[in-house]
Amino acid sequence: MNLIDFIAPFLFGVFALIVLGMSIFIMKLIESIDKQAAQIKIIYGLIEQTKSETEAALDSFTPTREKVNNHNARIDSIEFELKGMREKMSAVNPKK
């Protein structure tokens, strides 16, 4: 018997353990990737939900913004009229 006959079963056992360890590692890696993919899908779902809620909030704010702009335009118009009235009143009243 030579040395290879003694070492071959040991090397085969080591090789089998390495293959088993690699297959277990690959299975765990695939499981981890699947979990991360599920989490990413959940995150994208939350992003889409937040985006739609934000768009709805902005859409509901638009009429309020238009009302504020209308009120500001009215206030500007009233101020302009009051300024004209003051100028007319000062022209009518003689200065003392």
Side-chain angles (χ1 to χ4, degrees):
M1 291 206 156
N2 69 33
L3 187 60
I4 293 179
D5 291 337
F6 289 116
I7 297 176
F10 175 72
L11 291 176
F12 182 74
V14 169
F15 178 72
L17 287 175
I18 289 172
V19 169
L20 179 65
M22 287 177 60
S23 63
I24 290 172
F25 175 75
I26 290 171
M27 295 301 270
K28 292 290 185 180
L29 186 63
I30 290 171
E31 183 180 315
S32 174
I33 290 171
D34 289 342
K35 285 181 182 178
Q36 287 179 352
Q39 289 176 347
I40 288 171
K41 286 180 184 176
I42 290 171
I43 289 171
Y44 276 119
L46 290 173
I47 288 170
E48 288 297 321
Q49 180 182 2
T50 304
K51 181 180 175 184
S52 64
E53 289 175 358
T54 303
E55 288 174 353
L58 287 174
D59 290 343
S60 68
F61 181 68
T62 301
T64 306
R65 186 182 327 150
E66 290 173 0
K67 287 180 184 177
V68 168
N69 288 339
N70 288 340
H71 287 297
N72 284 340
R74 272 196 230 155
I75 289 171
D76 290 342
S77 174
I78 292 170
E79 285 178 357
F80 182 74
E81 288 178 22
L82 286 174
K83 185 177 179 185
M85 290 170 71
R86 271 192 220 124
E87 290 173 358
K88 288 179 185 177
M89 293 291 282
S90 65
V92 170
N93 286 337
K95 295 199 178 197
K96 295 179 181 180

